[in-house]
Amino acid sequence: MADSERMPIGIFVMMGEDTPPAIEMAEEVGVDNVHALAPPVEKRTPETAHEAARRFEDAGIEVTTIFCAYEGESYDSIDAVCETVGLVPEKSRQKRIETTKKTADFVAEMGLDTMALHAGFISEDTESDQFAEMVDVLREVSEYCADKGLNLNLETGQESAEALLEVLDRVDMDNLGVNFDPANMVLYGSGKPLPALRKVGGHVRSTHCKDAVWSDQPGETWGEEVPLGEGVVDMEEYVSILDDFGYDGPLTIEREIPPPQQIEDMKKGVKVLQDAKDKLGIS
Ligand code: MG
C-alpha cells in the first residue's frame, strides 16, 4: 500500500484456520490491504501470529486491523446478537475479557498496531448499571491494548451515535476509537448512518464500506445487506464526510456472503469507491 495514497481501498478477510485463503481473496479482488478476522481462539498464539505476519508480508498485503471475535456468538437475529455478541453478555464476559487480551497479544506479535471488536448491545440508558459496567470493561481492555502499543476500535452498529460518544467520553482513553460501519446502523435499525458519521467522525480510525436496505420493522428484524452502491448508503457522500474529518485510513469493503459472489461484489465495490474518490479528487 503506497504510503502517500489517501484512503486506500481494501477488503475484510477471515484468517480462519490458515491465512492463504485470506491472501488469495485479496489477490483475486486486486487490493493490497485488509482487515482480518482473527483465527479461532486456540490459534491466537505467538507462533501463528509470526507465521501469518510472514505470509501477508511475502504476499505484499498490509493487515491494517485485526478483528477480535468470540466463541459462542450468533448473528442469526437481532435478539441473538443481544444475547450472545461481544463483551455485553454477563455469563461469558470475564472469559471474553481474557480472550480480548489474548487477541491483543496476538495482534502485537504480528507487529500490528490496531485491533477492533464488536462490544455488543451497550445499553442506550447511560445511567444504567450495564452502561457503567461496560465503560469499566472497555477501559480495562483499552488500557491493556495501550500497554501493548495498540489502538482499539469499536465497531459501530448496535448503538446510536449519542450512546457511542458517551461511551468514548466516559472511558476516556486516547487509544480507543471507532471502526465506522454505515450498513450496520441500517441492518440493526440504530439510526441513519451518515448523520451519525457526522457526529462521531472525529473518533473514526478505520471504516467498513458496506451497504444495506432498511427492514420494514427497523430494530425488530434485520435489514438486508446488499452490494456496495445498491443500498441506502450514498458512498460518495460517505467518503466525502470522512474526507471532511481528514480521515486518511483505508476504505475496507465488507461483504458478508460466501464466495464466489462475495468476490464479484467486492470487485464491483472497489469500482464504486474508486469512482467516489476520483469524483472527490482523493488520491
Ligand atoms: Mg463491519
Side-chain angles (χ1 to χ4, degrees):
M1 185 163 93
D3 286 345
S4 55
E5 186 186 358
R6 292 193 61 214
M7 299 194 214
I9 299 166
I11 62 168
F12 191 111
V13 296
M14 293 187 183
M15 289 171 76
E17 294 289 327
D18 202 355
T19 48
I23 291 168
E24 284 162 19
M25 195 166 147
E27 287 173 339
E28 208 171 331
V29 176
V31 297
D32 63 2
N33 68 92
V34 297
H35 282 188
L37 186 69
V41 174
E42 70 277 8
K43 294 227 169 189
R44 297 176 197 174
T45 63
E47 295 73 26
T48 311
H50 299 156
E51 174 70 8
R54 187 186 63 74
R55 284 177 181 262
F56 277 113
E57 194 181 343
D58 286 352
I61 293 167
E62 182 177 351
V63 182
T64 55
T65 299
I66 294 282
F67 269 74
C68 177
Y70 306 97
E71 285 169 343
E73 292 184 310
S74 166
Y75 288 85
D76 286 349
S77 66
I78 292 180
D79 283 345
V81 172
C82 256
E83 285 163 25
T84 68
V85 167
L87 296 163
V88 168
E90 273 188 70
K91 260 199 310 199
S92 52
R93 189 181 290 163
Q94 199 51 46
K95 190 175 172 204
R96 289 183 177 180
I97 290 171
E98 296 314 313
T99 298
T100 309
K101 292 176 179 176
K102 183 179 177 184
T103 310
D105 294 344
F106 178 84
V107 177
E109 290 286 351
M110 277 189 76
L112 307 177
D113 64 6
T114 304
M115 178 169 77
L117 55 82
H118 272 281
F121 267 102
I122 301 175
S123 172
E124 291 283 315
D125 177 0
T126 58
E127 301 303 317
S128 67
D129 290 346
Q130 192 248 49
F131 189 91
E133 287 165 20
M134 285 305 293
V135 166
D136 288 343
V137 168
L138 290 172
R139 188 180 297 113
E140 179 179 344
V141 294
S142 299
E143 283 173 350
Y144 189 88
C145 286
D147 286 345
K148 298 261 158 196
L150 302 179
N151 291 315
L152 177 63
N153 293 343
L154 300 179
E155 170 97 351
T156 56
Q158 292 105 338
E159 62 294 301
S160 66
E162 291 74 15
L164 183 60
L165 283 173
E166 183 71 16
V167 169
L168 295 168
D169 186 53
R170 298 231 320 239
V171 175
D172 195 24
M173 290 286 294
D174 289 342
N175 68 326
L176 185 66
V178 167
N179 181 78
F180 198 89
D181 184 327
N184 282 353
M185 301 196 69
V186 177
L187 292 169
Y188 288 97
S190 49
K192 288 188 178 174
L194 299 188
L197 177 59
R198 287 196 180 89
K199 288 180 187 158
V200 305
H203 297 276
V204 172
R205 294 185 184 152
S206 58
T207 63
H208 283 164
C209 296
K210 191 168 85 186
D211 211 346
V213 292
W214 298 100
S215 158
D216 53 10
Q217 298 167 279
E220 302 290 324
T221 58
W222 285 122
E224 185 190 352
E225 194 212 341
V226 297
L228 218 56
E230 296 182 17
V232 301
V233 184
D234 181 329
M235 279 297 147
E236 189 181 330
E237 195 180 349
Y238 180 56
V239 175
S240 171
I241 297 168
L242 290 167
D243 187 35
D244 288 345
F245 280 100
Y247 177 79
D248 280 332
L251 300 172
T252 304
I253 298 168
E254 186 178 24
R255 181 70 174 120
E256 300 189 83
I257 60 168
Q261 191 59 45
Q262 182 188 41
I263 306 279
E264 292 312 308
D265 288 354
M266 282 177 158
K267 285 181 182 171
K268 286 185 205 154
V270 170
K271 185 165 180 347
V272 168
L273 291 174
Q274 192 57 55
D275 286 350
K277 283 179 67 178
D278 289 346
K279 277 192 189 166
L280 295 163
I282 297 167
S283 57

Short mmCIF file of all heavy atoms in Angstrom, two decimals, residues 37-49 67-71 99-100 102-103 105-106:
data_model
loop_
_atom_site.label_atom_id
_atom_site.label_comp_id
_atom_site.label_asym_id
_atom_site.label_seq_id
_atom_site.Cartn_x
_atom_site.Cartn_y
_atom_site.Cartn_z
N LEU A 37 -10.23 -10.96 10.21
CA LEU A 37 -10.82 -11.55 11.41
C LEU A 37 -9.80 -12.51 12.01
O LEU A 37 -9.21 -13.33 11.29
CB LEU A 37 -12.10 -12.30 11.03
CG LEU A 37 -12.91 -12.87 12.19
CD1 LEU A 37 -13.55 -11.75 13.00
CD2 LEU A 37 -13.99 -13.83 11.68
N ALA A 38 -9.57 -12.40 13.29
CA ALA A 38 -8.58 -13.26 13.97
C ALA A 38 -8.94 -14.73 13.78
O ALA A 38 -10.12 -15.08 13.64
CB ALA A 38 -8.54 -12.92 15.45
N PRO A 39 -7.94 -15.61 13.78
CA PRO A 39 -8.23 -17.04 13.68
C PRO A 39 -8.96 -17.52 14.93
O PRO A 39 -9.12 -16.76 15.89
CB PRO A 39 -6.83 -17.67 13.57
CG PRO A 39 -5.91 -16.69 14.17
CD PRO A 39 -6.51 -15.34 13.93
N PRO A 40 -9.42 -18.80 14.95
CA PRO A 40 -10.10 -19.32 16.15
C PRO A 40 -9.25 -19.08 17.40
O PRO A 40 -8.02 -19.05 17.32
CB PRO A 40 -10.22 -20.81 15.86
CG PRO A 40 -10.19 -20.92 14.37
CD PRO A 40 -9.33 -19.81 13.88
N VAL A 41 -9.93 -18.94 18.54
CA VAL A 41 -9.26 -18.50 19.78
C VAL A 41 -8.03 -19.35 20.11
O VAL A 41 -6.96 -18.81 20.46
CB VAL A 41 -10.27 -18.54 20.96
CG1 VAL A 41 -9.56 -18.24 22.28
CG2 VAL A 41 -11.38 -17.52 20.73
N GLU A 42 -8.12 -20.68 19.94
CA GLU A 42 -6.99 -21.54 20.31
C GLU A 42 -5.78 -21.33 19.40
O GLU A 42 -4.67 -21.72 19.73
CB GLU A 42 -7.41 -23.01 20.36
CG GLU A 42 -7.71 -23.65 19.02
CD GLU A 42 -9.14 -23.36 18.52
OE1 GLU A 42 -9.85 -22.55 19.13
OE2 GLU A 42 -9.52 -23.96 17.48
N LYS A 43 -6.02 -20.69 18.25
CA LYS A 43 -4.90 -20.44 17.32
C LYS A 43 -4.29 -19.05 17.48
O LYS A 43 -3.39 -18.67 16.72
CB LYS A 43 -5.39 -20.61 15.89
CG LYS A 43 -5.79 -22.00 15.55
CD LYS A 43 -5.19 -22.42 14.23
CE LYS A 43 -5.37 -23.91 14.03
NZ LYS A 43 -4.63 -24.39 12.88
N ARG A 44 -4.79 -18.29 18.43
CA ARG A 44 -4.24 -16.93 18.63
C ARG A 44 -2.99 -17.03 19.49
O ARG A 44 -2.95 -16.61 20.64
CB ARG A 44 -5.30 -16.01 19.24
CG ARG A 44 -6.49 -15.82 18.30
CD ARG A 44 -7.62 -14.99 18.87
NE ARG A 44 -8.83 -15.22 18.08
CZ ARG A 44 -10.04 -14.74 18.37
NH1 ARG A 44 -10.21 -13.97 19.43
NH2 ARG A 44 -11.08 -15.02 17.61
N THR A 45 -1.95 -17.61 18.92
CA THR A 45 -0.69 -17.86 19.62
C THR A 45 0.42 -17.06 18.96
O THR A 45 0.30 -16.66 17.79
CB THR A 45 -0.33 -19.35 19.55
OG1 THR A 45 -0.13 -19.69 18.16
CG2 THR A 45 -1.43 -20.23 20.12
N PRO A 46 1.54 -16.86 19.66
CA PRO A 46 2.66 -16.15 19.04
C PRO A 46 3.15 -16.84 17.77
O PRO A 46 3.44 -16.17 16.77
CB PRO A 46 3.75 -16.17 20.13
CG PRO A 46 2.99 -16.29 21.41
CD PRO A 46 1.78 -17.12 21.09
N GLU A 47 3.17 -18.18 17.78
CA GLU A 47 3.67 -18.91 16.60
C GLU A 47 2.78 -18.63 15.38
O GLU A 47 3.28 -18.34 14.29
CB GLU A 47 3.69 -20.43 16.87
CG GLU A 47 4.66 -20.87 17.96
CD GLU A 47 4.19 -20.50 19.38
OE1 GLU A 47 2.97 -20.35 19.61
OE2 GLU A 47 5.06 -20.33 20.26
N THR A 48 1.45 -18.72 15.58
CA THR A 48 0.53 -18.45 14.46
C THR A 48 0.67 -16.99 14.01
O THR A 48 0.63 -16.70 12.82
CB THR A 48 -0.94 -18.69 14.90
OG1 THR A 48 -1.01 -19.96 15.53
CG2 THR A 48 -1.87 -18.67 13.72
N ALA A 49 0.83 -16.08 14.96
CA ALA A 49 0.96 -14.65 14.63
C ALA A 49 2.17 -14.41 13.75
O ALA A 49 2.10 -13.70 12.74
CB ALA A 49 1.05 -13.82 15.91
N PHE A 67 -9.63 -8.06 13.69
CA PHE A 67 -10.90 -8.09 14.42
C PHE A 67 -10.93 -9.25 15.40
O PHE A 67 -10.63 -10.37 15.05
CB PHE A 67 -12.09 -8.18 13.46
CG PHE A 67 -12.59 -6.82 13.09
CD1 PHE A 67 -11.87 -6.03 12.20
CD2 PHE A 67 -13.74 -6.31 13.65
CE1 PHE A 67 -12.30 -4.74 11.89
CE2 PHE A 67 -14.19 -5.04 13.35
CZ PHE A 67 -13.47 -4.25 12.47
N CYS A 68 -11.30 -8.93 16.64
CA CYS A 68 -11.45 -9.94 17.67
C CYS A 68 -12.90 -10.41 17.69
O CYS A 68 -13.81 -9.60 17.81
CB CYS A 68 -11.10 -9.30 19.02
SG CYS A 68 -11.32 -10.40 20.42
N ALA A 69 -13.10 -11.72 17.53
CA ALA A 69 -14.44 -12.29 17.71
C ALA A 69 -14.36 -13.32 18.82
O ALA A 69 -13.26 -13.68 19.25
CB ALA A 69 -14.93 -12.92 16.41
N TYR A 70 -15.51 -13.79 19.29
CA TYR A 70 -15.56 -14.67 20.47
C TYR A 70 -16.30 -15.95 20.17
O TYR A 70 -17.22 -15.97 19.33
CB TYR A 70 -16.23 -13.93 21.64
CG TYR A 70 -15.60 -12.60 21.94
CD1 TYR A 70 -16.14 -11.42 21.43
CD2 TYR A 70 -14.43 -12.52 22.69
CE1 TYR A 70 -15.54 -10.19 21.68
CE2 TYR A 70 -13.83 -11.29 22.95
CZ TYR A 70 -14.39 -10.14 22.44
OH TYR A 70 -13.80 -8.92 22.67
N GLU A 71 -15.94 -17.01 20.89
CA GLU A 71 -16.68 -18.27 20.77
C GLU A 71 -18.09 -18.08 21.29
O GLU A 71 -18.30 -17.38 22.28
CB GLU A 71 -15.96 -19.36 21.59
CG GLU A 71 -14.70 -19.84 20.90
CD GLU A 71 -13.83 -20.72 21.79
OE1 GLU A 71 -14.02 -20.71 23.03
OE2 GLU A 71 -12.95 -21.38 21.24
N THR A 99 -10.06 -13.40 26.50
CA THR A 99 -9.86 -13.64 25.06
C THR A 99 -9.42 -12.35 24.36
O THR A 99 -8.56 -12.37 23.47
CB THR A 99 -11.17 -14.16 24.42
OG1 THR A 99 -11.50 -15.40 25.02
CG2 THR A 99 -11.02 -14.34 22.92
N THR A 100 -10.01 -11.23 24.76
CA THR A 100 -9.65 -9.94 24.16
C THR A 100 -8.17 -9.64 24.42
O THR A 100 -7.45 -9.19 23.51
CB THR A 100 -10.52 -8.81 24.75
OG1 THR A 100 -11.89 -9.18 24.66
CG2 THR A 100 -10.30 -7.50 24.01
N LYS A 102 -5.83 -11.85 25.09
CA LYS A 102 -5.02 -12.82 24.32
C LYS A 102 -4.94 -12.39 22.85
O LYS A 102 -3.90 -12.53 22.20
CB LYS A 102 -5.69 -14.21 24.44
CG LYS A 102 -4.92 -15.32 23.76
CD LYS A 102 -5.63 -16.66 23.91
CE LYS A 102 -4.87 -17.76 23.16
NZ LYS A 102 -5.56 -19.05 23.20
N THR A 103 -6.04 -11.85 22.33
CA THR A 103 -6.05 -11.39 20.94
C THR A 103 -5.17 -10.16 20.77
O THR A 103 -4.48 -10.01 19.76
CB THR A 103 -7.50 -11.11 20.48
OG1 THR A 103 -8.30 -12.25 20.81
CG2 THR A 103 -7.56 -10.87 18.98
N ASP A 105 -2.50 -9.62 22.45
CA ASP A 105 -1.15 -10.18 22.40
C ASP A 105 -0.83 -10.67 20.99
O ASP A 105 0.26 -10.44 20.46
CB ASP A 105 -1.01 -11.39 23.36
CG ASP A 105 -1.16 -10.99 24.83
OD1 ASP A 105 -1.06 -9.79 25.13
OD2 ASP A 105 -1.36 -11.90 25.65
N PHE A 106 -1.82 -11.35 20.39
CA PHE A 106 -1.67 -11.88 19.03
C PHE A 106 -1.40 -10.75 18.03
O PHE A 106 -0.50 -10.85 17.17
CB PHE A 106 -2.95 -12.65 18.66
CG PHE A 106 -2.98 -13.22 17.28
CD1 PHE A 106 -2.40 -14.45 17.01
CD2 PHE A 106 -3.61 -12.54 16.25
CE1 PHE A 106 -2.44 -14.99 15.72
CE2 PHE A 106 -3.65 -13.07 14.97
CZ PHE A 106 -3.06 -14.29 14.71
#
